[in-house]
Every structure is written in C-alpha cells, then in structure tokens.
Amino acid sequence: LNLRIFGSLIVGAVAAALAFQAPGNETPEFTRDGEMVRPRNYREWVFLSSGLGMTYGPMASSEPRFDNVFVNRGAYRSFIETGRWPNGTTLVLEVRDAQSQGSINRGGHFQTAVVGLEVHVKDESRFAKKWAFFGFERDKNTATAFPANSSCFSCHEQHGAVDTTFVQFYPTLLEVAKGKGTFKN
Amino acid sequence: LNLRIFGSLIVGAVAAALAFQAPGNETPEFTRDGEMVRPRNYREWVFLSSGLGMTYGPMASSEPRFDNVFVNRGAYRSFIETGRWPNGTTLVLEVRDAQSQGSINRGGHFQTAVVGLEVHVKDESRFAKKWAFFGFERDKNTATAFPANSSCFSCHEQHGAVDTTFVQFYPTLLEVAKGKGTFKN
C-alpha cells in the first residue's frame, strides 16, 4: 500500500463526502465576456427571508408578489462568524407570484411560479464597486451586470444595513450583525 | 503505514469534510420519554416555501403572519429523486410576525420575530400513524407529540398532496411529485 494509492483514497473519500453534502456549485461563475452564469441549486442554499408586496422590491406590481432571498452556504457561515460578507458572496432574490384560493386555503397568500431572478454578488477584484447586480431574463442562462449608475447601487449603498446589503430585512442575520457591531442604522 | 492508521485517516478526512458541510444535526432526536428535542440549525436546512396569513395555518391570527417551511437536507434529496418522503423526514414550520413600515419599506410585509415552531416528523417505527406533530413552546427545548386524534392528523391525512404533507403549497416539490406520479389531487 504505497503513499500514492493512500493519497488517492483519501482524496476520493473526501470528494465523495463533499459530493454527498453539496452537489450544487456555490461559487459565482462568469463567462469570458464577464456575463454571470445563472446560479444552479440556489434553492438548496441558505434561506434568509421572504417578503410579500414589499414596496422597495425591484419587481413591484399591482398584485403582491413574494420575494425569497437565498445566500450561498459559505458566505452565510462566514457572516454568522464575523457579521461581514466575504468575497464570493452571492445573494439570490427569487420573485414568485402569489395565490390566495387553492386546495384548502381560502385567504392569505401562498407562493406559485417564479417570475424573476436577480443576483447580488461580491467580488472585489472583478467589480469596481466591489458588488454587482444581475437580472436573469426568463430562460436565459447568463446575464450582464446592471450599469454602475443604476438605481440598485445608489439605493443599496444608501440604505443597506451591512455593506450594501439589506440585512435589516433578514431577521436572523440582523441579530448577528448587531451582535458583531457591523449593523448600520 | 498499517491499515489501522490508514483507516483512521480516511475516517478523519471524511468526518472533517462532512463537518465542514453540515455542522447541524439533521436527524430527529428524542428523549427517553419520547419527547422530541427542538431541531437545531433548521435555518440551514432546505427552504420549501413561505406563506402570509394562510387560513389553514395552525397559528392563524387577526394580524397576518408568515410561515416558513424547512426540511432536512437528506429528506429533500430523497424527495427530489423519488417524490416520496423517507423515514426521518423532519418538516419545520416556523411562524414569524410581519411588519409593513420599516427602513425604506412602506407597504407589503416583511418578516420579524419568531412566534411559533411546529414540527412534522416521519418515523414508522416510533409513531403508530407513521408521522407525528410537535409544537414547541417558546424557550422549551422539548415537546410532546400532539395526540393522534388532534385535528392536525385528520386535516393532513385528508388534504396532504403527498403522504399527509402539504406539497401542494411547496412549488418546487409540487413539480417533482407530479413528475414522479406521487401527487394526490
């Protein structure tokens, strides 16, 4: 049993264990042209919160819609420890239609089809403003970053509770940020 | 380098990889008296959906509340493959208060404090009806199962789209169940 076989077995075992736990790619991917590739498996990332018909929403409509926010697991763990977002942080905003009447439900609202997907990514070496926003059109696998003068940036810079992100609307992270002293009022 | 050391190293490497990916315990735990231990880290499990002010909710109130549903990762993966819930499935219903005015938001609803936590668990060897419901009181670490004649059971048995669970309200799983032929109308 030589060291090379030994090493391969360990690498194989670790890879198998990781594959079982994390089949999805949680690192942001970009094409050669700098377009972002649609995140896969973000539904298995960490859920931060959801809202219904929030007025600040990028896709506000007359009928209220749900927005669900997810973040990649590694960034979540890092935030829990430090109250700050690491490079590679990828926040996904999934917008879904709402329905009231369905099955046994006769009031309130539950979630139905996806109608929008927006992504907020931190990559200090790639983006002049450290973060960028991407809006994925239906059935398109890549998206171009919003221009740096778009309203996303000014609103998030002005109102983001932690590093241009709306942690004020994510109740579990809000507590962490307050505890770590990274929360801006 | 003998086989015992070799084995220990592999076990250690796998354990380290798993620990990095999954610090939380995702297997339901029970006391000797059969009480369920409050699930830890369910916020890192897989989010299924959320609703606002749904009338079937166990904690319906005059002010609409959000309900977020999470499931342990292993059960989620199994459901994606088969359209069925394995033994050990643990669904957590987290109820949160809603707020409209806050930060830049002036309408709609976003989530604030947790006001309730209910759990639906499948364990065919432990429960006569295969599944059981638990409601955790605030600040209590364990909960007793609801009696088998409680309304939870009759409603879930009568209206659950898949095996007494309300998959009709979880849009991603609804598609899977329809595809696998396990969805009851």
Side-chain angles (χ1 to χ4, degrees):
Chain A
L1 201 63
N2 68 31
L3 275 176
R4 189 178 301 170
I5 294 174
F6 173 68
S8 303
L9 280 167
I10 288 207
V11 167
V14 172
L18 287 171
F20 175 74
Q21 290 295 323
N25 184 354
E26 301 204 353
T27 305
E29 277 181 72
F30 298 92
T31 65
R32 287 185 189 173
D33 300 342
E35 296 214 312
M36 184 174 190
V37 179
R38 181 185 283 269
R40 288 167 290 164
N41 293 325
Y42 67 85
R43 290 285 309 200
E44 296 191 30
W45 295 4
V46 180
F47 169 71
L48 294 183
S49 196
S50 68
L52 179 71
M54 293 175 71
T55 53
Y56 90 91
M59 293 186 65
S61 69
S62 54
E63 290 299 310
R65 285 167 164 168
F66 281 98
D67 51 88
N68 299 319
V69 180
F70 302 85
V71 68
N72 60 307
R73 195 162 297 271
Y76 174 83
R77 296 250 168 90
S78 188
F79 194 97
I80 294 293
E81 282 172 23
T82 65
R84 296 175 195 282
W85 293 120
N87 238 9
T89 295
T90 308
L91 292 148
V92 173
L93 178 78
E94 180 196 64
V95 185
R96 282 187 181 264
D97 270 338
Q99 187 177 327
S100 281
Q101 307 282 320
S103 178
I104 52 172
N105 194 59
R106 292 290 169 262
H109 306 269
F110 62 91
Q111 303 193 6
T112 60
V114 174
V115 292
L117 195 76
E118 303 207 345
V119 180
H120 190 196
V121 189
K122 182 174 188 177
D123 187 332
E124 296 189 347
S125 62
R126 183 179 290 271
F127 308 124
K129 288 176 156 271
K130 298 184 183 174
W131 291 81
F133 296 89
F134 297 84
F136 286 85
E137 290 173 38
R138 186 187 295 256
D139 300 329
K140 284 203 73 175
N141 196 41
T142 60
T144 312
F146 283 97
N149 63 358
S150 79
S151 61
C152 307
F153 286 95
S154 53
C155 187
H156 275 256
E157 282 168 4
Q158 197 178 345
H159 300 292
V162 178
D163 189 10
T164 80
T165 66
F166 287 152
V167 168
Q168 61 265 47
F169 298 127
Y170 311 144
T172 53
L173 298 189
L174 187 155
E175 294 302 319
V176 171
K178 287 187 170 168
K180 304 284 183 187
T182 58
F183 189 88
K184 293 176 284 180
N185 277 303
Chain B
L1 201 64
N2 68 31
L3 275 175
R4 189 178 302 171
I5 294 173
F6 173 68
S8 303
L9 281 166
I10 289 207
V11 167
V14 172
L18 286 171
F20 175 73
Q21 291 293 323
N25 183 354
E26 300 204 355
T27 306
E29 278 181 70
F30 297 91
T31 65
R32 286 186 190 174
D33 300 341
E35 295 214 311
M36 185 175 189
V37 179
R38 183 185 281 269
R40 288 169 288 165
N41 294 325
Y42 67 85
R43 291 285 308 199
E44 296 190 31
W45 295 4
V46 179
F47 170 71
L48 294 183
S49 196
S50 68
L52 179 71
M54 292 174 73
T55 52
Y56 90 91
M59 294 186 66
S61 68
S62 53
E63 290 299 310
R65 286 167 163 168
F66 281 98
D67 51 89
N68 299 318
V69 180
F70 302 86
V71 68
N72 60 307
R73 194 162 299 271
Y76 174 82
R77 297 252 167 88
S78 188
F79 194 96
I80 295 294
E81 282 172 24
T82 65
R84 298 175 194 280
W85 295 119
N87 238 11
T89 295
T90 307
L91 293 149
V92 173
L93 178 79
E94 180 196 63
V95 185
R96 284 188 180 262
D97 270 338
Q99 186 177 328
S100 280
Q101 307 281 321
S103 178
I104 52 173
N105 195 59
R106 292 290 168 263
H109 306 269
F110 62 91
Q111 304 193 6
T112 60
V114 174
V115 291
L117 194 76
E118 302 205 347
V119 179
H120 190 195
V121 189
K122 182 174 187 177
D123 186 333
E124 296 189 345
S125 61
R126 183 178 289 272
F127 308 124
K129 286 174 157 274
K130 297 184 183 175
W131 291 81
F133 296 89
F134 297 85
F136 286 86
E137 291 174 35
R138 188 187 294 258
D139 300 329
K140 284 203 74 175
N141 196 41
T142 59
T144 312
F146 283 97
N149 63 357
S150 79
S151 61
C152 306
F153 286 94
S154 52
C155 187
H156 276 257
E157 282 169 3
Q158 198 178 344
H159 300 291
V162 178
D163 188 9
T164 80
T165 67
F166 287 153
V167 168
Q168 61 263 48
F169 298 127
Y170 311 144
T172 53
L173 297 190
L174 188 154
E175 293 304 318
V176 171
K178 285 185 171 170
K180 303 285 182 186
T182 59
F183 190 87
K184 291 176 287 181
N185 276 305

